[in-house]
Amino acid sequence: MFKRLCTLLLSLALLCTVGAGAAHAQPGKRVFNAMQIIFSPSLPDLFCTLGAVGGDKYGHKIAITAGHCLDDPKYADHEIHDDIAPVYDRADAGFGPIGYVRYFKDPEGSQTGHVTKDYMVIELVPQVTPSAQGPYLKQTGEVKVPGGTVSPNALTPALDNERLLATGSNEIITSGQTGVWYGTVMDNADGVYRSPAANMRGDSGGPAIWHVPGTDLPSQANNFQASGPWAGITKGITLALPPFLYTSSANILADLRARDTATAGGVFGAGFEVTTNP
């Protein structure tokens, strides 16, 4: 079972990053799925992982990860417009912030239960370049399921990218600390997928793609590379079998659209699309 990485998000971020955010970021740095991220350079072992990188309908560069990576009831489920919660590349904290948290949602029990809205929106800084290519997975847009079961977070009528993969007949491919894994979607409880595709602590928020039928699965022959549309992000581990949970991209995209519709001026991440940059 994962532990939450930070309590009191903003007090911790401010205390731990005084001076650290003064680094002057140089242009051109790639930000990609499966990049490990931290919220303070002084806490490199408390990390999560990026699940998808792209842009929103308002022109912001956006990355998506798990909401339970941070925990502060005062700021959870609210837009954060100020740059008070920086995010760093764990492998290159000296670059300075790659972005700032704009929203996170972490209801109690989100890591082990079927909570549908466990996600975080990060606005990336102008100096970085979003990339669709991670260490193992290349993301090709978003999963779209015409006529499929609708996410519980969706408005009516739902969009195709707000519909869920059917269980028993679809596989997801994931990427994390132990490499790349794949497994069948065995259960779907309100848009939270259960699969034998493995993850571990620190992989929270990391990428899952849909294995498009007829395309190659990762193997030694192809250097464990795979490509497909973004299907979701790593959520956590439970005692049930198979134990690994993933929040569907359908849940995230549907909730972003619903919040955008209800919020004057809109929200960061609304209309999110995975980048086409290599």
Side-chain angles (χ1 to χ4, degrees):
M1 183 183 299
F2 297 160
K3 294 182 179 178
R4 290 175 177 168
L5 298 185
C6 295
T7 56
L8 299 177
L9 159 63
L10 297 182
S11 59
L12 179 59
L14 292 172
L15 286 172
C16 295
T17 59
V18 172
H24 296 288
Q26 300 300 312
K29 179 181 179 67
R30 289 175 62 251
V31 176
F32 46 84
N33 72 76
M35 173 183 279
Q36 292 179 352
I37 55 171
I38 55 177
F39 301 93
S40 167
S42 65
L43 297 171
D45 293 330
L46 298 180
F47 64 94
C48 275
T49 303
L50 293 184
V53 181
D56 67 13
K57 71 178 188 179
Y58 298 112
H60 304 119
K61 297 178 181 180
I62 296 292
I64 304 292
T65 189
H68 70 253
C69 294
L70 294 172
D71 178 27
D72 186 339
K74 181 178 179 181
Y75 293 96
D77 205 18
H78 296 288
E79 294 293 293
I80 305 172
H81 292 278
D82 297 324
D83 296 346
I84 53 177
V87 180
Y88 301 83
D89 176 0
R90 186 187 184 214
D92 185 19
F95 176 85
I98 61 169
Y100 295 88
V101 177
R102 297 303 183 208
Y103 176 86
F104 69 98
K105 178 74 171 178
D106 177 27
E108 187 67 28
S110 64
Q111 294 170 257
T112 56
H114 292 295
V115 175
T116 66
K117 300 180 182 182
D118 178 5
Y119 72 97
M120 178 188 298
V121 177
I122 299 165
E123 183 187 15
L124 301 174
V125 298
Q127 293 90 344
V128 306
T129 299
S131 171
Q133 180 64 64
Y136 295 105
L137 305 184
K138 180 178 181 179
Q139 294 179 333
T140 57
E142 307 79 45
V143 167
K144 296 181 180 179
V145 186
T149 302
V150 174
S151 163
N153 300 340
L155 300 173
T156 301
L159 305 180
D160 286 347
N161 65 9
E162 297 169 351
R163 298 173 185 273
L164 304 168
L165 293 173
T167 60
S169 58
N170 287 285
E171 291 178 305
I172 56 173
I173 308 172
T174 66
S175 176
Q177 298 167 75
T178 56
V180 60
W181 299 83
Y182 58 87
T184 301
V185 176
M186 303 300 295
D187 183 40
N188 168 16
D190 292 332
V192 176
Y193 300 142
R194 185 181 296 276
S195 171
N199 61 67
M200 62 183 298
R201 182 182 179 186
D203 291 339
S204 288
I209 63 172
W210 178 48
H211 173 225
V212 179
T215 61
D216 290 338
L217 286 165
S219 67
Q220 189 171 7
N222 59 23
N223 294 317
F224 300 99
Q225 299 294 304
S227 64
W230 176 48
I233 61 174
T234 299
K235 184 176 182 60
I237 303 173
T238 69
L239 296 177
L241 294 176
F244 306 108
L245 296 181
Y246 296 86
T247 300
S248 65
S249 56
N251 276 11
I252 296 169
L253 294 171
D255 193 58
L256 283 167
R257 186 164 72 101
R259 291 197 302 109
D260 187 61
T261 299
T263 304
V267 301
F268 286 94
F272 176 81
E273 294 184 346
V274 171
T275 182
T276 58
N277 292 334

